[in-house]
């Protein structure tokens, strides 16, 4: 069965294609349009579809819209709040519903030849849940979805048994852990539905001094759900504008909310474990991108395994919706093997881009070794290889790489990207060396958990050790990621350290680089020493890095 999944309603519009149970392609619209998060998260933008990513998914598989058996739309307007025809009441909620109801017609316009009757509405949290339990490497799991909101809920807890989801609990709005975190994000001067990870980073600089009060305001209930009471944020810290300095009071508020979130997640996971007895917990929804909370669940919850789908935010509901419809039709779903589900180019196509740009380049015998040499000499490398990543993390396909042994590379990378200095950067490490250097659940291929750095390594990889002694690692397996693993092996041979700094290939406020033009533009405008574009190496003019001794 050929199913196109579409996420369009709130934010992070995206498309995914599943053919006979195999994930063929998945991509976020922002990578095509270069507009961060794809669109504004407002009701009157609900009609906007991920047109370019939908068309690319079809092109990738050589399909026409008429070839599709189904289109899964990850929101069900039949579940949305009732509205009396006044589309502007209640923050335009009725308009959102109306636009979602009309989505089949909008889809026919965007994909000429599509039969609108083939569009299926998948409840938002069912799509999130499917993106976790159907993509995970477990046939059975407990499933936890937490986000800002879906139609009327912000949470789903369930049990998946061989592809069938049994919903055990849902938490209705206005109670929402995702919206709670969005509110504190906005209060602390960051962009809601976008910059929540900055609050998580800031939290480690503070102490949770209002935890007792927040335990009253935010708490699990005995039915598997939770309550979030209205919070007057100004009682704790003054509202911060984005251009103002932050203070320890702001960090303390971030810490309080972060720790309380972790505690409530542990309560929800405990309830779900008691209900299901499952060993594995699969998770999705924007809250599941909180890698500090995920690490705490891995360490302290009763589950043996925690698996988080790498596109856990709303973009992932495109994949989840498609997987759900395919599974309901009877297709056997193949687990997700990689997040590199986006666009890629052949060597010849990349060469043509370089010829068009008239830019001097070389083709080393081994690009992995050449890059390792530049990194060993403390150069910063833009690394563009294979298919682009689905989800917010750069996982070795559209990455900026640097030497982890030099403490000043954190500041250097934050300067290159033009972003705040409290933002950490993360390490990639060879899977077979990870346990020597990091603690916690391994492997960790999607950068969704923080891990304590072992004491003997703290001073050896200072660029990637966060102030709290942890690092958000990505383990790299030679079978799954042969080129990245080869680069790390060469780096270890040259430096003795099988770890590299990896951050996303973009500059502040821009989506991750996706196509070769984006890579060349980023390289051209940021002080990066080299660009590894497939097998080709472009060095910054005037760069006089010495050849490292092999
Ligand atoms: Fe969501």
């Amino acid at each position: 069965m050929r199913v196109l999944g579409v996420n369009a309603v709130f934010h992070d519009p995206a498309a995914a294609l599943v053919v006979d149970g195999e994930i063929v392609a998945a991509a976020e619209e922002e990578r095509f349009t270069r507009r961060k998060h794809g669109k504004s998260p407002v009701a009157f933008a609900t009609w906007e579809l991920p047109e370019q990513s939908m068309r690319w998914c079809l092109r990738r598989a050589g399909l026409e819209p008429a070839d599709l058996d189904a289109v899964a739309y990850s929101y069900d307007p039949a579940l949305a709040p009732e509205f009396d025809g006044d589309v502007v009441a209640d923050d335009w909620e009725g308009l959102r519903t109306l636009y979602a109801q009309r989505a089949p017609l909008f889809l026919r316009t965007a994909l000429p030849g599509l039969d609108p009757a083939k569009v299926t509405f998948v409840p938002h949290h069912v799509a999130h849940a499917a993106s976790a339990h159907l993509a995970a490497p477990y046939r059975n799991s407990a499933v936890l979805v937490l986000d800002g909101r879906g139609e009327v809920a912000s949470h789903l807890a369930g049990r998946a048994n061989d592809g069938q989801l049994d919903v055990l609990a849902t938490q209705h709005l206005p109670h929402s852990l995702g919206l709670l975190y969005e509110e504190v994000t906005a209060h602390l001067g960051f962009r809601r539905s976008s910059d929540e990870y900055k609050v998580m980073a800031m939290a480690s600089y503070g102490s949770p001094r209002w935890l007792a009060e927040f335990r009253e305001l935010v708490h699990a209930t005995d039915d598997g759900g939770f309550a979030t009471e209205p919070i007057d944020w100004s009682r704790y810290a003054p509202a911060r504008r984005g251009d103002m300095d932050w203070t320890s009071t702001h960090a303390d508020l971030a810490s309080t909310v972060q720790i309380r979130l972790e505690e409530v997640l542990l309560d929800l996971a405990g309830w779900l474990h008691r209900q299901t007895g499952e060993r594995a917990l699969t998770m999705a929804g924007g809250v599941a991108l909180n890698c500090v909370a995920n690490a705490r669940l891995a360490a302290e919850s009763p589950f043996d395994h925690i698996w988080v789908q790498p596109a856990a935010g709303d973009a992932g509901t495109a994949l989840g919706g498609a997987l759900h419809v395919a599974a309901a039709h009877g297709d056997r779903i193949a687990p997700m093997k990689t997040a590199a589900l986006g666009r890629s180019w052949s060597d010849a196509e990349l060469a043509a881009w370089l010829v068009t740009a008239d830019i001097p380049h070389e083709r080393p015998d081994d690009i992995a070794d050449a890059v390792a040499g530049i990194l060993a000499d403390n150069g910063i490398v833009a690394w563009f290889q294979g298919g682009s990543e689905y989800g917010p993390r750069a996982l070795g396909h559209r990455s900026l790489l640097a030497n982890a042994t030099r403490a000043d590379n954190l500041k250097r990378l934050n300067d290159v990207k033009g972003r705040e200095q409290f933002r950490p950067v993360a390490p990639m490490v060879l899977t077979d060396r990870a346990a020597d250097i990091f603690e916690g659940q391994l492997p960790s291929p999607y950068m969704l958990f923080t891990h304590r750095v072992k004491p003997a390594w703290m001073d050896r990889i200072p660029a990637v050790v966060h102030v709290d002694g942890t690092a958000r690692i990505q383990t790299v397996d030679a079978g799954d990621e042969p080129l990245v693993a080869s680069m790390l092996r060469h780096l270890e041979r040259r430096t003795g350290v099988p770890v590299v700094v990896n951050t996303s290939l973009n500059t502040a406020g821009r989506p991750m680089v996706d196509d070769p033009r984006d890579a060349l533009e980023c390289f051209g405008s940021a002080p990066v020493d080299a660009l590894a574009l497939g097998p080709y190496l472009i060095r910054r003019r005037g760069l006089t890095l010495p050849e490292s001794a092999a």
Side-chain angles (χ1 to χ4, degrees):
M1 188 188 202
R2 298 155 168 174
V3 192
L4 181 71
V6 175
N7 173 55
V9 168
F10 297 109
H11 41 72
D12 299 310
L17 184 67
V18 172
V19 176
D20 298 334
E22 293 272 351
I23 305 167
V24 173
E28 297 184 47
E29 189 72 359
E30 65 163 26
R31 310 289 161 82
F32 293 79
T33 62
R34 314 308 299 157
R35 183 181 181 193
K36 188 108 172 158
H37 299 297
K39 63 171 166 178
S40 291
V42 291
F44 46 86
T46 301
W47 66 270
E48 288 183 46
L49 293 167
E51 296 189 23
Q52 296 191 51
S53 40
M54 292 191 306
R55 290 187 195 123
W56 172 76
C57 283
L58 292 175
R59 270 203 314 279
R60 172 72 165 250
L63 297 179
E64 296 293 328
D67 299 328
L68 290 167
D69 298 302
V71 175
Y73 184 89
S74 60
Y75 186 91
D76 186 351
L79 302 176
E82 294 277 324
F83 79 100
D84 62 5
D86 180 1
V87 295
V88 302
D90 299 327
D91 289 335
W92 308 73
E93 187 67 32
L95 190 67
R96 175 179 286 119
T97 305
L98 189 63
Y99 279 160
Q101 288 168 342
R102 299 291 188 270
L105 303 177
F106 298 153
L107 281 158
R108 180 178 62 183
T109 304
L111 299 174
L114 176 75
D115 177 358
K118 290 185 175 169
V119 178
T120 300
F121 295 115
V122 179
H124 187 72
H125 292 103
V126 170
H128 270 308
S131 82
H133 76 84
L134 287 172
Y138 310 106
R139 296 218 64 78
N140 302 325
S141 64
V143 188
L144 187 59
V145 173
L146 287 157
D147 66 359
R149 61 162 290 187
E151 294 86 355
V152 288
S154 70
H155 151 269
L156 178 154
R159 179 184 202 165
N161 196 328
D162 210 13
Q164 293 290 322
L165 178 69
D166 194 9
V167 177
L168 301 173
T170 57
Q171 180 58 57
H172 274 233
L173 298 168
H175 305 284
S176 168
L177 293 171
L179 291 180
L180 173 88
Y181 216 95
E182 282 187 24
E183 281 177 23
V184 76
T185 299
H187 190 75
L188 292 173
F190 303 117
R191 189 176 166 201
R192 62 163 68 221
S193 295
S194 170
D195 292 347
E196 281 69 22
Y197 58 101
K198 297 183 184 179
V199 176
M200 186 186 74
M202 185 185 277
S204 56
Y205 291 85
S207 59
R209 65 167 140 143
W210 298 290
L211 197 51
E213 278 178 65
F214 273 72
R215 284 178 175 148
E216 304 288 321
L217 293 166
V218 186
H219 56 87
T221 49
D222 57 10
D223 54 359
F226 52 84
T228 53
E229 307 299 339
I231 293 172
D232 177 4
W233 298 101
S234 296
R235 278 191 58 210
Y236 304 99
R240 175 182 168 267
R241 280 202 327 264
D243 57 352
M244 290 163 54
D245 287 338
W246 57 276
T247 65
S248 61
T249 307
H250 293 118
D252 288 349
L253 182 58
S255 171
T256 303
V257 174
Q258 173 66 29
I259 301 280
R260 189 58 194 140
L261 173 73
E262 295 166 17
E263 291 177 342
V264 173
L265 290 185
L266 281 167
D267 288 342
L268 297 177
W271 182 89
L272 189 53
H273 187 264
R274 287 194 296 280
Q275 298 294 314
T276 65
E278 292 291 345
R279 295 181 60 195
L281 173 66
T282 56
M283 293 175 67
V287 178
L289 290 170
N290 191 307
C291 53
V292 177
N294 293 347
R296 201 144 170 219
L297 283 171
E300 298 178 40
S301 84
F303 291 100
D304 296 338
H305 310 286
I306 312 272
W307 191 86
V308 182
Q309 198 267 114
D314 272 6
T317 65
L319 176 63
L323 291 174
H324 172 79
V325 168
H329 174 261
D331 284 359
R332 191 153 192 87
I333 306 298
M336 186 174 194
K337 292 196 272 300
T338 176
L341 297 163
R343 289 189 288 177
S344 62
W345 284 264
S346 69
D347 292 355
E349 288 169 326
L350 294 174
W353 277 92
L354 292 170
V355 169
T356 301
D358 192 18
I359 187 164
H361 59 277
E362 56 192 280
R363 183 170 186 158
D365 293 340
D366 181 347
I367 188 73
D369 191 24
V371 166
I374 296 170
L375 294 168
D377 291 330
N378 205 29
I380 292 179
V381 181
W383 173 262
F384 180 107
Q385 304 292 341
S388 59
E389 295 90 344
Y390 183 48
R393 305 274 183 259
L395 299 167
H397 293 251
R398 302 290 185 273
S399 290
L400 267 178
L401 307 176
N403 191 314
T405 67
R406 303 280 289 261
D408 60 352
N409 276 342
L410 170 59
K411 179 173 188 311
R412 201 167 150 216
L413 278 173
N414 280 333
D415 285 344
V416 165
K417 299 183 69 162
R419 64 183 206 177
E420 302 92 338
Q421 284 301 335
F422 66 86
R423 303 272 301 280
V425 289
M428 291 200 280
V429 57
L430 286 167
T431 300
D432 56 10
R433 301 281 279 114
D436 300 338
I437 305 169
F438 303 102
E439 297 172 359
Q441 173 183 288
L442 295 167
S444 188
Y446 297 128
M447 225 193 204
L448 288 163
F449 298 84
T450 55
H451 296 251
R452 294 209 72 75
V453 182
K454 291 194 170 178
W457 280 86
M458 289 271 186
D459 295 336
R460 295 188 67 184
I461 49 172
V464 295
V465 182
H466 198 27
V467 285
D468 58 4
T470 65
R472 190 182 66 189
I473 74 171
Q474 179 195 352
T475 55
V476 176
D477 182 88
D480 299 331
E481 292 286 349
L483 191 66
V484 182
S486 171
M487 181 269 294
L488 283 165
R489 288 250 182 265
H490 286 299
L491 189 62
E492 182 176 29
R493 178 173 53 77
R494 289 168 179 270
T495 66
V497 175
V499 176
V500 70
V501 181
N502 165 36
T503 182
S504 54
L505 181 52
N506 61 340
T507 49
R510 291 186 169 80
M512 268 206 280
V513 159
D514 202 80
D515 75 10
R517 183 194 303 278
D518 307 330
L520 290 165
E521 287 179 354
C522 185
F523 178 69
S525 63
V528 173
D529 297 303
L531 166 63
L533 191 77
Y536 303 103
L537 188 66
I538 302 105
R539 295 177 188 268
R540 171 80 55 208
R541 190 186 307 230
L543 178 69
T544 52
L545 286 172
E547 265 298 305
S548 179

